[in-house]
Amino acid sequence: MKIVVVGGGIAGASAAYHLAGHSRSPDVTLVEAEAQLARHTTGRSAAQLILNYGEAPVRALTVASLPFLITPPEDLVDHRLLSPRSLLTVATEAQSPTLDRALAEGRAMDPSITEITMEEAVRRFPPLRPDRFIRAMLEPESSDIDVAGLHQAMIRGFRARGGAIAVSTRVDAARWRAGRGDWEIETTKGVLSADVVVDCAGAWGDVVAERAEVAPIGLAPLRRTAFTVASRWTDSQQWPLVADVDHSWYVKPDGSQFLCSPADEQPSEPCDAKAEEIDVALAIDRINNATSLEIRSVSSTWAGLRTFAPDRSMIIGPDPDRPQFVWCVGQGGTGIQTAPGAGRLTCDLLLDGEPGSAFDHCDLDLRRLLPDRFR
Ligand SMILES: Cc1cc2nc3c(=O)[nH]c(=O)nc-3n(C[C@H](O)[C@H](O)[C@H](O)COP(=O)(O)OP(=O)(O)OC[C@H]3O[C@@H](n4cnc5c(N)ncnc54)[C@H](O)[C@@H]3O)c2cc1C
C-alpha cells in the first residue's frame, strides 16, 4: 500500500513514523510544502505538557502519548524528552469559582493537583504579586517537552523504517481515480500516486481536503502570540509556568529568559502567522499587572496558528465519504503533547480499522475523534 502523508509538522512526523513501522510495511512518503519541516505551528509552541488540559478525547491522547514521551526508543533519541516544569495557576477573588471548577476537573484526572497558599505560590514564582491573587493551584506533574528532539526522533525513526521525505513539495490537487482505485496527486515537484492520502496539514487541513475534493470540516486556525523577555533572576529556570485561571496570560521560564503570551485566539486564514504589536502590548500590560517582571522590552516575538475543530476535539480517521482520505488535524493547543498518541491512532484506524492495545487504558471515546461526527 502506498501512503502519502501531507504536512511535516509534529502530526505528520508522528503519523508517518507509526505508519512506516506497521507490520504491513506500507510505502510511505511525507510531503512538506516548506523547505524545512516543522516551520509552522510545531516550531512555535510553548513546549509544555499539561495532563489536565483540553477536551476529554484530547486528554486520552495525551495519556496514550506518555509511554513514548517518558521512554522514547533508545535508538532514536539519547536524552530525555520531558523535564520537570510544574504549572501554577492563580486566581483573583472574582476568578475563585473558576479555580474551584479547575481543581475539581483537574483532580479527577491527576490526583497530584493541589491548592497551595499564595505564600507558597510566591515562594515558587517570586515575581508574582500576592496582592493581585487570592488562590493558587499547583500541577506538579506538568513538564517541558523537547519539541525539536521529539520531532527529530520521529523523523529519524521514519527514515530508518524506509520512509521517504519530500520537502518544498506542496500538494496542489489530488484526484481519486475510481477506475484505478488510487490517487493522482499534483505537487509543485511533479505528480505522485498513492492508495491513501493522510491530511496532517495543520491550519491548511481544510484546504488540502478541498484540493482532494473532500468536504471541509470547518477548521478554525486561531493565532496565538508569544515573545521572550530577559530574566534578571539567576534561578528562574527552576520556576513553574504561571498562568491565570481564565487563560488571559502566561509566563514560562525559558533558559535565561521568560516566554510570555496573552494566550490569545485571533481567527486567521491559514498563513505564516506573525505577531501583532497590539497583542504583545496587551500581554505586557497583563503580565506587568500580575507580576513584578517589569517588562519594558522584548527579545523576540512570534505567533503560530492553533487550529481547532468546531467542538475543539481532534479529527482522526478515514473520511466517511472518501475512506482513502484520512484526517489527522485539529491539534489546537495540544498537538505536541498528544503527537505520539495521535500518530499511533491514525495508523491503527488506517491499517487495522480500530484502535490498538496502546489505547486500552486511555478511556478513549473514539466517536469524539472520528470525522463522521461532522457529516
Ligand atoms: C504559541 C503556541 C503555544 C503552543 N504551546 C503548546 C504546548 O505547550 N503544548 C502543546 O502540546 N502544543 C502547543 N501548541 C500547539 C502545537 O504547537 C500544535 O498543536 C502543533 O504544532 C500542530 O502541529 P501540526 O503538525 O498539526 O501543524 P504544523 O506544525 O503547522 O504542520 C503542518 C504542516 O503542513 C504543511 N502543509 C500545509 N499545506 C500543505 C500542502 N498543501 N502540501 C504540503 N504540506 C503542506 C505546512 O507547511 C506545515 O509544515 C502551541 C501553539 C502555539 C502557536
Side-chain angles (χ1 to χ4, degrees):
M1 180 186 284
K2 276 175 86 173
I3 301 175
V4 164
V5 176
V6 185
I10 198 75
S14 180
Y17 166 71
H18 285 101
L19 287 164
H22 191 275
S23 57
R24 278 162 63 186
S25 301
D27 165 355
V28 188
T29 302
L30 177 65
V31 298
E32 166 54 50
E34 301 288 351
Q36 295 123 29
L37 304 175
R39 201 177 99 64
H40 288 285
T41 313
T42 296
R44 307 176 189 202
S45 86
Q48 188 78 15
L49 183 148
I50 307 171
L51 291 170
N52 171 32
Y53 192 46
E55 298 296 312
V58 169
R59 291 171 186 231
L61 289 174
T62 302
V63 171
S65 299
L66 291 177
F68 191 102
L69 293 171
I70 294 169
T71 321
E74 277 173 20
D75 53 330
L76 301 185
V77 55
D78 60 4
H79 59 278
R80 284 181 309 162
L81 294 175
L82 299 183
S83 41
R85 167 87 53 213
S86 58
L87 170 64
L88 182 60
T89 305
V90 289
T92 61
E93 192 161 4
Q95 292 170 327
S96 189
T98 314
L99 195 86
D100 282 330
R101 283 195 294 278
L103 271 165
E105 198 180 67
R107 280 196 191 122
M109 168 155 199
D110 175 359
S112 71
I113 293 177
T114 50
E115 180 161 9
I116 59 171
T117 62
M118 275 314 297
E119 202 179 19
E120 173 67 7
V122 173
R123 196 187 63 70
R124 288 174 183 268
F125 194 93
L128 201 56
R129 289 188 193 277
D131 53 323
R132 298 281 194 277
F133 304 99
I134 62 156
R135 296 176 68 192
M137 171 174 113
L138 186 72
E139 304 191 34
E141 300 297 328
S142 187
S143 311
D144 279 345
I145 310 173
D146 173 358
V147 180
L150 172 63
H151 185 267
Q152 278 163 21
M154 286 168 161
I155 291 297
R156 197 173 295 129
F158 175 57
R159 285 189 201 277
R161 290 169 169 184
I165 299 179
V167 291
S168 306
T169 306
R170 191 183 63 224
V171 171
D172 286 337
R175 273 176 296 277
W176 176 249
R177 298 186 286 203
R180 295 175 51 135
D182 73 353
W183 291 97
E184 181 186 51
I185 303 165
E186 258 178 52
T187 78
T188 41
K189 286 260 184 86
V191 176
L192 300 171
S193 67
D195 300 302
V196 178
V197 168
V198 182
D199 181 358
C200 297
W204 291 267
D206 272 346
V207 175
V208 167
E210 286 182 303
R211 288 178 182 175
E213 295 169 358
V214 169
I217 295 281
L219 294 172
L222 304 178
R223 190 180 67 237
R224 175 153 291 186
T225 310
F227 57 94
T228 50
V229 299
S231 166
R232 57 193 152 85
W233 290 267
T234 51
D235 59 344
S236 53
Q237 175 58 12
Q238 316 305 321
W239 300 352
L241 186 159
V242 61
D244 89 318
V245 72
D246 280 340
H247 303 288
S248 69
W249 57 270
Y250 65 79
V251 177
K252 173 176 174 160
D254 184 18
S256 59
Q257 312 219 80
F258 292 109
L259 186 161
C260 306
S261 175
D264 48 340
E265 295 197 334
Q266 293 295 330
S268 168
E269 291 299 310
C271 66
D272 186 0
K274 302 270 186 287
E276 304 266 338
E277 270 180 39
I278 179 86
D279 296 320
V280 175
L282 186 71
I284 292 176
D285 189 51
R286 289 177 185 166
I287 294 167
N288 280 346
N289 190 40
T291 70
S292 59
L293 290 183
E294 294 171 1
I295 302 170
R296 289 194 192 90
S297 61
V298 303
S299 312
S300 63
T301 63
W302 69 94
L305 299 178
R306 297 155 81 249
T307 298
F308 291 91
D311 60 2
R312 291 179 81 102
S313 181
M314 286 185 200
I315 301 159
I316 299 181
D319 190 273
D321 301 323
R322 172 67 70 220
Q324 304 82 1
F325 185 93
V326 176
W327 297 86
C328 179
V329 297
Q331 272 72 3
T334 50
I336 311 295
Q337 66 180 47
T338 54
R344 170 91 263 164
L345 185 63
T346 305
C347 171
D348 289 356
L349 295 177
L350 195 168
L351 291 171
D352 301 326
E354 59 184 0
S357 58
F359 299 96
D360 281 354
H361 307 290
C362 300
D363 207 9
L364 187 76
D365 181 355
L366 191 58
R367 287 165 310 168
R368 291 186 63 198
L369 289 168
L370 292 173
D372 309 45
R373 70 192 194 277
F374 297 111
R375 298 299 191 215

